[in-house]
Amino acid sequence: MAAGEPDTECLFCKIVAGDVPATVVRETKDVIAFADINPQAPVHILVIPRAHYANAGELGAVAPELAGTLLAEAAAVAAEQDLDGGYRLVFNTGAGAGQTVFHVHAHLLGGRGLTWPPG
Ligand code: 5GP
Ligand code: ZN
């Protein structure tokens, strides 16, 4: 399967296709943002490209313009969610870092104090 092509086995490709329901908070032609099913903060939104790339590194290498769009859209979601006090974007990359869905996604976390460093 080529980077950027849909993966019929991928949960987030199914959400993009509308085959799995999600609470969508923002969408554009390239990017969709929806609530995480298991929120770790009062605001926990996943921001993903519609196209399938396995992780942030692959996205940045193969489609850098889309990577920039994803970051800009994440900032737009944060503004819509009134996260003026700050927020965190996380790209878990690889199973050892906790990545469980291999379609690149930014976790947008906010609405509470966020400690550093994370676990
Ligand atoms: P990862 O562990 O790959 O960094 O993040 C995957 C995220 O997807 C997790 O935070 C998990 O709670 C979320 N997730 C898993 N399945 C679903 C689902 O069916 N719907 C939604 N909205 N989020 C999901
Ligand atoms: Zn996918």
Side-chain angles (χ1 to χ4, degrees):
M1 186 221 354
E5 296 300 317
D7 176 352
T8 54
E9 301 299 310
C10 169
L11 173 63
F12 289 175
C13 284
K14 291 176 183 172
I15 287 177
V16 168
D19 295 336
V20 169
T23 303
V24 174
V25 300
R26 181 177 171 88
E27 55 183 327
T28 68
K29 73 176 175 57
D30 294 320
V31 171
I32 182 168
F34 53 92
D36 195 292
I37 204 169
N38 182 24
Q40 302 302 312
V43 176
H44 187 175
I45 293 165
L46 301 174
V47 189
I48 73 170
R50 292 184 186 273
H52 180 100
Y53 297 90
N55 56 49
E58 182 177 271
L59 175 66
V62 179
E65 187 174 341
L66 181 56
T69 298
L70 184 72
L71 294 180
E73 284 301 314
V77 174
E80 288 174 358
Q81 299 288 325
D82 297 323
L83 299 179
D84 306 338
Y87 60 91
R88 185 169 294 160
L89 293 180
V90 176
F91 290 93
N92 292 329
T93 303
Q99 187 177 8
T100 59
V101 179
F102 290 85
H103 180 136
V104 61
H105 48 282
H107 293 262
L108 170 58
L109 297 154
R112 65 167 167 79
L114 296 165
T115 58
W116 188 261

